[in-house]
């Protein structure tokens, strides 16, 4: 089936230009600059006048909760939310139930996604203190990387033995993606907070418990080990200005920022409370502004979401009791385009951070760029009058978002996955379509 997308401004590889795209089944067939329409026959013509056509977003960091935690979210609901947000590919984290720390658990997830995911998918393999012997058995064409929790978070997957860490950095056959927080420092800070404020300190104390020092100490260790062993390291969800000093020099050592830490700061705990409680914590306005500045100078390489849905009931309490994490995948692209409106970065840079960079970093085969012969994964967005996020538009199973009440100028009007029109401008969503497993060229 051949499609023509015409009248658009195409944003790709640092440029924005008027042009047309032709798609042939699941692939991009041609990219033509200018306004002249081809005269040959097409099965479908999509008018994108006034729109930007971007590569589909690749979110390298989500928690879709399946298997085992499906009251919160599942592969169907969250991949649908992804599609509504222009996200055509996701990489999911291993702290599910069971954890993705065995080959059997990895294969189970791949089979579930094949039958349930509306967009393209892959899954990180989780490191533990005992499972490094599995690494050599991983099919590097099917796995984006190894997720290493160097700080305790959801799922009790902490790897805290220096000997084990050295072994992982020395022998990992894939990029290592780390969650960096120093658990010993966090535990000390929590004990002191409980002494001062009671058994469940208010959420405003979260960024001093999961402190700048805890983040920097762990991130510095990860960078030190990656440098020592020549490993490819990708540090997830940076939150502090101080950590940024560790990045931008070695192309094999990269950092990710996520929407929560680019959008919110500690002032927002007063109004949003535990809705924005996440690990690592949302920190100061100056930290947020430093992260925003790093989007354009090479210190931040990728923007993702750390999409992590919880039931509303899970978010009750304070630092000790409320669950950490928030749903974000549906609103990541509109939020980043809103930062363009604020002058933080350009749309070309958004595409670099959310599409091109993850494709390069994880050696994704023929995705992440608008090029002939590449998979036709596309997000079509339009600037509109400001619109407000309301509960009735939320696709995530948990049915809430800290973005409720936020105003955006940009809407995702169409999402095309492997050449298939998954979300159309009139709101039609193809519930029957299933995405593809992503292939890698590590």
């Amino acid at each position: 089936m051949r499609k023509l997308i015409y009248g658009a401004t195409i944003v790709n590889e640092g440029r924005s230009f008027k042009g047309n795209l032709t798609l042939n089944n699941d692939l991009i067939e041609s990219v033509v600059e200018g306004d002249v329409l081809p005269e040959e026959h097409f099965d479908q013509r999509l008018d994108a006048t006034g729109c930007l056509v971007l590569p589909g977003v690749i979110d390298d960091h989500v928690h879709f909760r399946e298997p085992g935690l499906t009251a919160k979210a599942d592969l169907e609901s969250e991949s649908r939310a992804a599609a509504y947000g222009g996200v055509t590919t996701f990489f999911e984290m291993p702290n599910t139930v069971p954890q993705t720390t065995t080959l059997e658990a990895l294969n189970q997830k791949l089979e579930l996604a094949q039958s349930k995911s509306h967009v393209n998918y892959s899954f990180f393999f989780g490191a533990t203190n005992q499972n490094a012997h599995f690494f050599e058995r991983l099919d590097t064409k099917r796995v984006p990387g190894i997720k290493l929790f160097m700080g305790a978070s959801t799922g009790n997957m902490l790897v805290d033995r220096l000997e084990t860490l050295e072994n992982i950095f020395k022998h990992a056959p894939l990029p290592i993606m780390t969650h960096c927080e120093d658990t010993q420092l966090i535990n000390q800070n929590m004990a002191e907070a409980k002494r001062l404020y009671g058994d469940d300190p208010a959420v405003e104390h979260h960024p001093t418990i999961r402190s700048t020092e805890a983040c920097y100490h762990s991130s510095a260790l990860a960078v030190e080990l990656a440098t020592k062993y020549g490993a490819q390291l990708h540090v997830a969800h940076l939150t502090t200005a101080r950590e940024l000093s560790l990045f931008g020099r070695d192309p094999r050592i990269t950092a990710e920022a996520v929407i929560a830490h680019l959008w919110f700061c500690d002032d927002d705990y007063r109004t949003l409370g535990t809705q924005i409680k996440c690990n690592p914590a949302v920190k100061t306005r100056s930290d947020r502004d430093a992260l925003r500045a790093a989007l354009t100078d090479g210190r931040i390489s990728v923007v993702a979401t750390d999409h992590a849905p919880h039931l509303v009931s899970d978010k009750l309490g304070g630092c000790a009791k409320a669950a950490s994490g928030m749903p974000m995948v549906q609103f990541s692209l509109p939020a980043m385009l809103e930062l363009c409106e604020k002058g933080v970065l350009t749309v070309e840079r958004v595409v670099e951070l959310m599409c091109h960079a993850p494709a390069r970093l994880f050696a994704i085969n023929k995705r992440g760029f608008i090029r002939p012969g590449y998979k036709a994964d596309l997000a079509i967005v339009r600037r509109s009058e400001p619109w407000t996020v309301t509960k009735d538009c939320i696709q995530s199973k948990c049915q809430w978002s800290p973005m409720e009440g936020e105003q955006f100028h940009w809407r995702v009007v169409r999402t095309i996955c492997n050449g298939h029109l998954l979300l159309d401008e009139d709101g039609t969503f193809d519930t029957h379509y299933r995405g593809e497993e992503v292939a890698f060229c590590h």
Side-chain angles (χ1 to χ4, degrees):
M1 184 175 185
R2 296 184 73 225
K3 293 184 179 71
L4 172 67
I5 302 171
Y6 65 94
T9 296
I10 298 166
V11 186
N12 186 56
E13 301 189 70
R15 298 178 59 227
S16 295
F17 56 91
K18 289 290 180 67
N20 308 312
L21 291 174
T22 65
L23 315 181
N24 193 342
N25 294 319
D26 61 334
L27 300 179
I28 297 168
E29 183 178 62
S30 68
V31 184
V32 180
E33 292 194 43
D35 297 323
V36 178
L37 297 180
E39 295 182 359
E40 65 251 52
H41 170 75
F42 292 95
D43 301 287
Q44 191 173 24
R45 290 171 175 256
L46 301 178
D47 185 355
T49 302
C51 296
L52 303 182
V53 177
L54 321 176
V57 170
I58 299 169
D59 193 335
D60 75 347
H61 190 163
V62 304
H63 301 265
F64 282 1
R65 305 301 191 197
E66 189 169 359
L69 299 167
T70 52
K72 300 173 187 283
D74 58 45
L75 285 162
E76 188 284 323
S77 63
E78 306 317 293
S79 66
R80 173 166 29 91
Y84 272 79
V87 177
T88 55
T89 298
F90 68 83
F91 299 161
E92 211 252 1
M93 292 296 134
N95 49 336
T96 44
V97 180
Q99 297 166 350
T100 320
T101 54
T102 66
L103 301 179
E104 292 77 15
L106 177 63
N107 289 331
Q108 180 190 12
K109 276 192 174 179
L110 288 165
E111 289 172 7
L112 283 168
Q114 183 180 30
S115 65
K116 299 187 73 170
S117 179
H118 296 295
V119 297
N120 307 314
Y121 54 87
S122 193
F123 299 91
F124 276 86
F125 188 78
T128 69
N129 278 314
Q130 292 87 28
N131 75 344
H133 60 282
F134 284 131
F135 293 172
E136 62 185 21
R137 295 170 56 192
L138 292 172
D139 184 344
T140 57
K141 291 183 174 60
R142 300 185 74 188
V143 181
I146 292 166
K147 180 63 183 290
L148 174 60
F149 287 90
M150 293 176 64
S153 188
T154 307
N156 299 317
M157 290 181 63
L158 175 64
V159 179
D160 56 357
R161 301 175 191 165
L162 184 58
E163 181 181 356
T164 303
L165 290 171
E166 299 235 10
N167 190 44
I168 291 169
F169 277 88
K170 187 174 182 179
H171 295 294
L174 294 163
I176 301 168
M177 187 173 186
T178 53
H179 177 130
C180 286
E181 291 182 282
D182 188 293
T183 299
Q184 185 175 351
L185 287 173
I186 291 168
N187 290 343
Q188 291 170 1
N189 293 339
M190 179 63 89
E192 177 64 10
K194 286 183 174 182
R195 186 185 71 80
L196 293 172
Y197 308 114
D199 288 342
D200 190 23
V203 71
E204 287 83 357
H205 299 293
H206 193 53
T208 55
I209 293 169
R210 289 183 172 265
S211 63
T212 295
E213 184 184 6
C215 292
Y216 181 83
H217 188 271
S218 184
S219 292
L221 175 59
V223 170
E224 178 186 337
L225 290 171
T227 302
K228 179 177 179 179
Y229 292 109
Q232 184 179 345
L233 169 66
H234 188 51
V235 179
H237 43 45
L238 247 61
T239 60
T240 71
R242 188 179 177 196
E243 287 171 284
L244 289 166
S245 65
L246 299 168
F247 301 94
R249 296 185 295 272
D250 185 339
R252 292 180 62 83
I253 297 174
T254 55
E256 167 201 272
V258 300
I259 301 299
H261 305 122
L262 293 168
W263 194 262
F264 301 115
C265 69
D266 56 358
D267 296 339
D268 296 307
Y269 288 114
R270 288 196 296 272
T271 54
L272 293 171
T274 58
Q275 285 191 51
I276 60 166
K277 180 176 184 277
C278 56
N279 302 337
V282 170
K283 294 188 173 64
T284 67
R285 182 178 295 272
S286 61
D287 285 312
R288 186 198 67 183
D289 291 347
L291 291 171
R292 288 181 175 185
L295 296 174
T296 55
D297 66 13
R299 290 175 294 169
I300 295 295
S301 298
V302 170
V303 168
T305 62
D306 194 9
H307 175 85
H310 292 286
L311 299 177
V312 171
S313 58
D314 296 330
K315 298 293 283 183
L316 300 177
C319 292
K321 293 182 180 178
S324 291
M326 65 191 86
M328 275 291 186
V329 74
Q330 185 176 342
F331 305 111
S332 61
L333 183 53
M336 289 298 290
L337 293 173
E338 197 65 25
L339 292 184
C340 295
E341 293 283 318
K342 297 175 185 292
V344 174
L345 75 172
T346 64
V347 67
E348 293 85 3
R349 188 64 186 162
V350 169
V351 169
E352 169 63 28
L353 292 162
M354 301 185 81
C355 312
H356 302 336
R360 282 195 301 267
L361 182 65
F362 295 102
I364 300 172
N365 187 40
K366 294 191 180 300
R367 297 187 193 274
F369 298 85
I370 299 177
R371 295 172 176 169
Y374 273 57
K375 290 285 188 173
D377 296 336
L378 303 167
I380 302 179
V381 299
R382 175 182 286 123
R383 194 182 189 283
S384 63
E385 291 300 312
W387 62 280
T388 302
V389 177
T390 56
K391 191 177 293 292
D392 60 358
C393 76
I394 295 169
Q395 298 297 316
S396 288
K397 193 173 186 178
C398 66
Q399 282 293 288
W400 68 273
S401 170
M403 289 298 197
E404 285 177 62
E406 296 285 355
Q407 280 197 335
F408 296 129
H409 286 82
W410 289 87
R411 287 181 180 273
V412 176
V413 293
R414 288 185 172 117
T415 300
I416 295 172
C417 189
N418 305 304
H420 184 83
L421 184 58
L422 181 54
L423 175 69
D424 205 353
E425 188 163 13
D426 63 1
T428 303
F429 183 80
D430 187 349
T431 59
H432 301 291
Y433 181 76
R434 297 296 177 263
E436 297 177 354
E437 180 183 345
V438 174
F440 302 92
C441 308
H442 293 295

